[in-house]
Amino acid sequence: MPTVLIMDHPLLKHKISLLRDENTGTRDFRVLVEEIAMLMGYEALRDLPTEEVEVKSPVSTSMQPMLSGRKLAVVPILRAGLGMVGGILALVPSAKVGHIGLYRDEVTHQPHDYFCKLPENIDERLVILPDPMLATGGSAIAAVDFIKAKGCKNIKFMCIIAAPEGLEALKAAHPDIDIYVGSLDEKLNDSAYIIPGLGDAGDRIFGTK
Ligand code: PRP
Ligand code: URA
């Protein structure tokens, strides 16, 4: 059964509240996004398989669990997903990194793709797809469509804030993927921004606008 998990940890809630604050500047915003991604990644990677490996300590030799050689790829949805990559790589430093470039049309709110570069053998990897915001769901659905078309079957989507509309749309379009949400917010406004949300994640991470 795929996992759909709305996180419920006080540390995460605290950091997401700081992220929402309009007085949080670019530098702190970036640090918080990375820390939140690491906390979320810790939970999202709970089911990574391990295997017993012989380990010799200074006093004895025993069989101990180590991560088994499952291949991982982190594929952020540009731009804002980039801000989450460092936090996930802190947990799994040997993961390969791909990129999917999508932007949302300001009027139609439909996603447009402009870049894609994926690691080799992407179809054999567990793909972690981070994007801080799941609003209408259009960008996440398009990104999952894209990597599924490359043969990927094992996909975990991670977002810091989701609107109910986007979460329902993503679950309906891709019922087979795992979804991890830091906070499920109230609704979308008329411009398809998440309420209360945090504004434009890309602009806040990169200091644009
Ligand atoms: C934001 C965000 C998501 C998308 C969510 O990106 O990072 O990718 O919007 O909206 P949706 O669920 O309605 O598709 P944006 O298009 O603003 O691009 P950016 O990251 O380059 O700023
Ligand atoms: N993209 C964002 O960055 N923020 C929103 O609230 C919605 C889409």
Side-chain angles (χ1 to χ4, degrees):
M1 273 295 280
T3 301
V4 177
L5 184 66
I6 315 296
M7 306 260 168
D8 185 29
H9 194 291
L11 281 175
L12 205 58
K13 288 182 180 178
H14 177 81
K15 288 179 190 295
I16 294 174
S17 301
L18 292 173
L19 207 56
R20 296 182 191 277
D21 188 337
E22 66 176 3
N23 293 316
T24 299
T26 303
R27 183 184 163 280
D28 290 342
F29 195 91
R30 275 191 207 132
V31 171
L32 283 163
V33 165
E34 213 168 290
E35 289 174 351
I36 290 166
M38 184 163 65
L39 292 171
M40 292 187 68
Y42 178 76
E43 192 55 43
L45 296 176
R46 176 177 285 283
D47 59 357
L48 281 186
T50 57
E51 61 189 349
E52 295 291 305
V53 172
E54 191 176 279
V55 176
K56 189 171 179 309
S57 81
V59 286
S60 73
T61 299
S62 58
M63 298 302 284
Q64 297 295 335
M66 301 273 257
L67 289 178
S68 57
R70 187 149 176 206
K71 293 178 179 167
L72 280 174
V74 184
V75 181
I77 302 176
L78 306 181
R79 290 176 300 167
L82 269 181
M84 298 173 74
V85 173
I88 301 167
L89 288 182
L91 301 171
V92 282
S94 58
K96 302 285 188 249
V97 180
H99 299 88
I100 295 182
L102 292 171
Y103 72 89
R104 208 172 70 142
D105 184 280
E106 283 184 12
V107 177
T108 65
H109 310 134
Q110 292 302 305
H112 294 274
D113 59 294
Y114 60 88
F115 185 77
C116 179
K117 180 83 181 165
L118 298 173
E120 277 189 342
N121 308 324
I122 189 76
D123 54 320
E124 294 168 15
R125 297 177 187 275
L126 164 61
V127 179
I128 303 166
L129 203 59
D131 188 332
M133 310 304 275
L134 179 65
T136 64
S139 304
I141 291 169
V144 177
D145 283 344
F146 200 83
I147 54 175
K148 277 188 176 174
K150 302 281 179 196
C152 301
K153 288 167 211 70
N154 216 329
I155 300 166
K156 290 178 185 285
F157 176 80
M158 277 174 54
C159 65
I160 297 177
I161 297 183
E165 296 89 330
L167 182 58
E168 287 313 310
L170 181 58
K171 284 197 301 187
H174 294 294
D176 53 327
I177 69 167
D178 293 332
I179 304 174
Y180 301 88
V181 176
S183 171
L184 184 59
D185 274 15
E186 200 184 315
K187 60 178 182 185
L188 293 177
N189 69 10
D190 292 343
S191 307
Y193 270 77
I194 302 175
I195 300 296
L198 51 71
D200 188 304
D203 284 342
R204 295 197 63 187
I205 290 171
F206 296 107
T208 42
K209 230 175 212 173

